[in-house]
Amino acid sequence: MGWWLLPQTWSIEIYDGFFFRPWRLQLILHTLPGLLAAVLFNLLPESPKFLVAQGRTEEALAVVKWIHMKNSGGKLAEMDVTELTSEASGIQHNGGCLKSMWNQTVPLFTYPYVVRFVVFCLIQFGIFYTCAGVGLWFPEIVNRILQVKTEESRTVCQMLDFAPNVTHLELQEEVCDDSIDTDTFVYNLFYGTIYVVGYIILGFLVKYFGRRTLLVGLLGSSAFVGLSLMWLTNHSATILFLAMHLMFAGVSISVVNSSVVAFFPTHMRAMAMCITLMFGRLGTFAGSNIIGYLFDINCHFTFLISVGLMILCSTAAFFIK
């Protein structure tokens, strides 16, 4: 959709100084699936686990039977389960929302969970910094590389420094340059395909290797191809290695999440997942802002931060199962 929409040049002035451009329409269209999902979620039943936690066991059993019927294609009465009980979690939920959050969080910082919990948070931060933080700038990096029209061999940082960037020109008036090389969409499509291939391969490898081995290998590979970017001088190879650097980190998220679920008991894993992913989102925030600031100041250092985080995360992965 963006391939067709973004290169268009039409502009509609809504009011003085505000123009409705193709990229604004693109942004609006991207919100529609989320709105549709919000509506559809209201048609689904509540989680049985939540209902049991609230003492509504009969409603929970009805939902479980409904799920069983949908998955098996059978009838509502064919399931053998007749009663649901809540596991003894040892966590008190009385005292309001904040008290409940506190009671669910404190056990994560006790033995034997605290070390691996911190490791999970660190790994999620580093992974999201790379795959989402650097990934946010992937179209911009590709677009600027493609703007370099020269036969000379240049590394990625030399190409980024050489590419025209209107934000750094001293102009008499502000200029909003939203032009984009259409080849950027080809490489973005390739970027998405790399992820699909990565997940397919990961699905096969997970049968033969443990989560720790996979994480060490994936994050180590991300660090290796990221470091290789410093010396590549071919446009296509540079974009390929950049995509692989992000992909190896990105597909690791599912491995980390499954490790969190496997390690923590049922009554702790929801909070553990929330907090570790929160650190991941902090990594996204840090990466997207730091990278945008550093690219034109010290390009090599920008990539080395990402590579260093991948090395650190790969090392930390030795401490999980």
Side-chain angles (χ1 to χ4, degrees):
M1 181 173 61
W3 197 341
W4 167 76
L5 186 59
L6 292 180
Q8 297 190 29
T9 58
W10 53 263
S11 177
I12 302 174
E13 186 172 6
I14 305 300
Y15 58 86
D16 185 32
F18 182 86
F19 293 88
F20 191 79
R21 301 276 290 132
W23 67 268
R24 296 186 188 275
L25 177 59
Q26 172 90 359
L27 184 62
I28 292 174
L29 293 176
H30 280 181
T31 65
L32 296 181
L35 293 175
L36 178 61
V39 174
L40 294 178
F41 266 119
N42 287 320
L43 304 178
L44 296 176
E46 186 55 82
S47 163
K49 186 176 180 65
F50 171 80
L51 294 173
V52 170
Q54 298 296 314
R56 298 153 61 182
T57 54
E58 292 185 2
E59 294 179 55
L61 181 59
V63 173
V64 170
K65 289 182 177 180
W66 180 83
I67 295 173
H68 175 267
M69 180 185 66
K70 294 296 183 181
N71 289 337
S72 64
K75 297 181 180 180
L76 193 61
E78 290 182 351
M79 193 177 71
D80 295 332
V81 178
T82 58
E83 183 181 4
L84 296 178
T85 57
S86 177
E87 68 173 0
S89 66
I91 295 179
Q92 300 296 324
H93 296 280
N94 298 326
C97 178
L98 293 179
K99 183 66 174 179
S100 176
M101 291 173 60
W102 174 261
N103 290 335
Q104 294 179 69
T105 303
V106 169
L108 297 174
F109 294 92
T110 60
Y111 180 83
Y113 307 110
V114 59
V115 174
R116 289 184 185 171
F117 174 67
V118 172
V119 169
F120 284 131
C121 291
L122 171 64
I123 293 176
Q124 291 282 46
F125 181 91
I127 289 176
F128 275 83
Y129 180 100
T130 298
C131 73
V134 181
L136 178 68
W137 291 92
F138 180 82
E140 169 68 10
I141 296 172
V142 172
N143 193 43
R144 289 170 65 173
I145 289 175
L146 294 176
Q147 290 178 17
V148 178
K149 308 298 183 181
T150 177
E151 298 298 328
E152 297 181 22
S153 296
R154 297 176 183 270
T155 64
V156 60
C157 286
Q158 290 173 337
M159 286 187 281
L160 292 177
D161 291 338
F162 182 81
N165 185 359
V166 298
T167 60
H168 285 194
L169 298 178
E170 295 183 0
L171 303 177
Q172 297 299 321
E173 59 182 29
E174 294 183 1
V175 175
C176 179
D177 183 7
D178 57 1
S179 62
I180 185 170
D181 193 311
T182 53
D183 286 343
T184 302
F185 298 105
V186 177
Y187 285 104
N188 282 338
L189 182 62
F190 169 74
Y191 177 45
T193 304
I194 283 284
Y195 261 89
V196 173
V197 173
Y199 276 114
I200 292 174
I201 295 176
L202 181 63
F204 285 102
L205 293 180
V206 75
K207 301 177 183 178
Y208 306 102
F209 301 96
R211 285 184 288 266
R212 177 167 57 188
T213 303
L214 282 175
L215 271 180
V216 172
L218 288 170
L219 298 176
S221 298
S222 178
F224 174 76
V225 296
L227 190 62
S228 301
L229 286 170
M230 301 294 101
W231 294 278
L232 291 175
T233 57
N234 179 272
H235 286 199
S236 298
T238 298
I239 296 173
L240 171 63
F241 270 58
L242 177 59
M244 292 176 62
H245 174 55
L246 304 178
M247 180 274 293
F248 282 128
V251 299
S252 300
I253 296 174
S254 59
V255 182
V256 177
N257 289 342
S258 66
S259 298
V260 172
V261 171
F263 176 70
F264 291 98
T266 303
H267 63 276
M268 297 174 62
R269 64 179 55 144
M271 184 59 71
M273 184 69 74
C274 288
I275 296 178
T276 55
L277 286 176
M278 180 186 71
F279 273 86
R281 299 306 178 190
L282 288 175
T284 300
F285 175 79
S288 59
N289 286 277
I290 292 174
I291 291 166
Y293 175 76
L294 286 180
F295 255 139
D296 297 308
I297 297 177
N298 193 324
C299 176
H300 288 90
F301 184 64
T302 304
F303 282 108
L304 287 177
I305 292 177
S306 179
V307 171
L309 282 173
M310 290 298 94
I311 294 174
L312 180 62
C313 291
S314 180
T315 304
F318 280 103
F319 294 92
I320 68 173
K321 292 183 178 180

